[in-house]
Amino acid sequence: MNVFSKTLLASALASATLASAYAAEPLTVYGKLNVTAQSNDEKGDATTTIQSNASRFGVKGDFALSSSLEAFYTVEYQVDTGAASSDNFTARNQFVGLKGAFGSFSVGRNDTLLKISQGDVDQFNDLSGDLGKLFKGEVRAAQTATYLTPSFGDFVFGVTYVAEGNDVKGQFAQDGFSVAAMYGDAKLKKTPVYASLAYDSDVSGYEIVRASLQAKLAGIKLGGMYQQQEQTYKYDSATSMPVEVTAESANGYLLSAAYDIDAVTLKAQFQDMEDLGDSWSVGADYALAKPTKILAFYTNRSLEASNDDDKYIGVGLEHKF
């Protein structure tokens, strides 16, 4: 672990020096630590934890190859501060690409376009109320190629190709595609509305249609999502070979809201997926400064396969750098 940390730091410093020498954009070191003290009551069994919520560390940068072409890259790792082992780094997005008047093209480990298209609809992202607990499609694939068009007004279109070899078991020996059309700014700073429509075909064994919408009205940030998901492949228990699945699609939706009162942000969210269950969450963030906040939340998830609701209550601290 110490060797890895020293190597990563040395690489970052060397890259920053080379960037200055070649008059490129400076390398950016970034990340966040989000750690909460929680009581997790699952299947009637309560456990107290001090857990990390997708804490991460990364480096990113770009390099002007000519007046019209630029190379860019990201190398990011997740850090689990609550892991019993000190070997607590796992890979997140790690890709390299080119961008210019044609748009951008990147290859490597990356989120699919369907996952990216959600914007900031999920007010409890990375916490116990994360939409991925009930919705499929939150996929970060290891072997991808992604193309994004240049902006047409406020519209951007894109496609992610997930290679068959990405994960032979997880991808069920199939090529997958994820496409999306997105309008506006997900941060709602440049446009008052953000909307997207996305589709996954055979990504991690599912076909998914997802529509997302965000808007700010009278100071309240409102979000909504509709999703239809259908399993297309699974592994046969007798042969351990991937087989096609003929199953009915399931429909779900999510509604979220956030409202700022000075340094406090109040949040609420409800999510439901047919034949699986529903979840609701409430919470509040208190900004100590721009990069640092105290957070508190409560999530209740009711699964149709269980007689007991799962309950999560937590308080914590997040710092971005």
Side-chain angles (χ1 to χ4, degrees), residues 235-251:
Y235 275 93
D236 184 88
S237 58
T239 64
S240 298
M241 296 295 292
V243 294
E244 287 191 68
V245 175
T246 302
E248 292 185 2
S249 60
N251 302 298

Side-chain angles (χ1 to χ4, degrees), residues 29 51 67 85 105 126 166 269 310:
V29 178
Q51 66 186 58
S67 60
S85 169
F105 177 77
D126 295 333
N166 165 70
Q269 186 161 292
D310 294 337

Side-chain angles (χ1 to χ4, degrees), residues 32 115-135 138 186-187 194 210 212-214 221-225 254-258 267-271 279-281 285 293 299:
K32 75 172 183 178
K115 181 179 180 182
I116 292 170
S117 73
Q118 69 177 263
D120 290 337
V121 169
D122 186 2
Q123 289 293 337
F124 293 86
N125 184 44
D126 295 333
L127 298 175
S128 299
D130 188 294
L131 69 83
K133 304 297 184 182
L134 293 179
F135 285 7
E138 298 300 283
K187 300 297 182 182
Y194 171 79
R210 173 181 290 181
S212 304
L213 178 67
Q214 293 171 249
K221 185 183 292 185
L222 300 173
M225 179 183 290
L254 177 148
L255 299 171
S256 66
K267 305 187 295 183
Q269 186 161 292
F270 179 79
Q271 183 183 8
S279 173
W280 60 269
S281 301
D285 298 341
K293 68 180 181 182
T299 293

Side-chain angles (χ1 to χ4, degrees), residues 4-59:
F4 171 79
S5 300
K6 291 177 180 177
T7 301
L8 188 60
L9 180 60
S11 298
L13 292 173
S15 298
T17 302
L18 288 173
S20 299
Y22 286 94
E25 293 293 327
L27 174 144
T28 299
V29 178
Y30 69 94
K32 75 172 183 178
L33 287 168
N34 183 308
V35 181
T36 53
Q38 292 190 204
S39 173
N40 301 331
D41 187 344
E42 299 176 316
K43 299 179 181 179
D45 184 17
T47 304
T48 302
T49 65
I50 306 293
Q51 66 186 58
S52 177
N53 305 295
S55 298
R56 65 201 66 168
F57 171 85
V59 294

